Amino acid sequence: MLNEINLYIPTGVKAENELFNGFGKRELMQSAIGSLFGDAVAAILWLIAGNVALTVVAVLSGIFGSVMMCTKDQNNQSVVDQIRDMIRFWRSQQIYPYRMQDEWGIK
């Protein structure tokens, strides 16, 4: 006679505390670095154009874009993670060039 064992598999458990859904301390650091790149672009725009409105829009777009790219979705993947996976996959692919040989002695 088999004993029936109830197996409990928890779902939706997060390994880290999150500031909001899909955004934890790791994502905060990633978005801070992305915001610094956005600020550098805004500084270059300020030096070229000298337009305050354009600079403010560039700064806010950099912050908003970096937060959106680092926020994880339901599959626990962010845009940054997906790009990193695609680059890793691209680097792992190997090319084997085919060289045709005269197998039947026709040539």
Side-chain angles (χ1 to χ4, degrees):
M1 184 180 279
L2 294 173
N3 292 334
E4 193 171 314
I5 300 173
N6 292 333
L7 180 62
Y8 174 72
I9 300 174
T11 58
V13 177
K14 304 290 182 177
E16 300 175 358
N17 289 336
E18 295 181 341
L19 302 172
F20 58 88
N21 195 13
F23 195 84
K25 290 181 182 178
R26 179 174 168 248
E27 291 80 22
L28 181 63
M29 293 304 295
Q30 288 176 345
S31 64
I33 293 169
S35 295
L36 290 176
F37 284 117
D39 291 345
V41 170
I44 292 170
L45 286 174
W46 170 257
L47 292 174
I48 292 173
N51 190 349
V52 175
L54 180 66
T55 306
V56 170
V57 168
V59 168
L60 293 177
S61 297
I63 293 170
F64 179 73
S66 65
V67 169
M68 291 305 293
M69 287 182 66
C70 293
T71 303
K72 295 187 177 198
D73 60 0
Q74 295 173 347
N75 298 325
N76 202 24
Q77 286 255 317
S78 66
V79 175
V80 175
D81 294 335
Q82 291 175 359
I83 291 172
R84 187 179 303 133
D85 290 342
M86 285 191 293
I87 291 172
R88 188 179 305 134
F89 175 77
W90 177 71
R91 285 184 179 171
S92 70
Q93 296 300 303
Q94 296 185 7
I95 298 172
Y96 298 104
Y98 177 75
R99 292 186 209 154
M100 183 177 163
Q101 298 196 5
D102 191 13
E103 185 175 350
W104 302 102
I106 297 174
K107 292 184 182 181

